[in-house]
Amino acid sequence: QLTGVDLSDYFITVAQYIKAESKAGSGDVSLNFLHGDGLDLASCGFPDDSVDLVTISEVTHEMPKAVSAELFKEAARVLAPGGVLGYMDL
């Protein structure tokens, strides 16, 4: 299962449109998109140690340093032992 979380309703809509047009997620991988806050993944249904991969992409350059630190803490909370954090920003 692969779940994308974004704070922007617009980008969730774009992702769902691209998924439908490309028929992505119609095979062995379930592909879902949730409108939610990366600072509160529990509200999106992600308990502690529950995911194998978290990616943070193209967002921290727009955040104050303290908020970015909270985002990484939340990513660490949901990552399962041995999980991977992928990070990319400008």
Side-chain angles (χ1 to χ4, degrees):
Q1 177 175 325
L2 180 64
T3 303
V5 177
D6 201 296
L7 191 57
S8 167
D9 286 328
Y10 172 78
F11 283 115
I12 293 297
T13 300
V14 169
Q16 290 169 336
Y17 173 81
I18 292 170
K19 174 186 171 183
E21 288 296 307
S22 67
K23 297 181 179 40
S26 59
D28 293 338
V29 176
S30 172
L31 180 58
N32 303 296
F33 301 100
L34 298 175
H35 176 252
D37 188 344
L39 296 169
D40 182 18
L41 294 172
S43 69
C44 296
F46 295 100
D48 294 356
D49 305 326
S50 62
V51 298
D52 296 319
L53 172 66
V54 173
T55 60
I56 298 172
S57 179
E58 306 290 335
V59 66
T60 55
H61 68 275
E62 298 180 9
M63 297 176 163
K65 191 173 183 177
V67 177
S68 292
E70 291 301 314
L71 181 63
F72 282 98
K73 285 180 188 175
E74 182 66 354
R77 182 189 67 77
V78 300
L79 272 175
V84 175
L85 172 66
Y87 172 70
M88 183 187 81
D89 213 323
L90 302 172

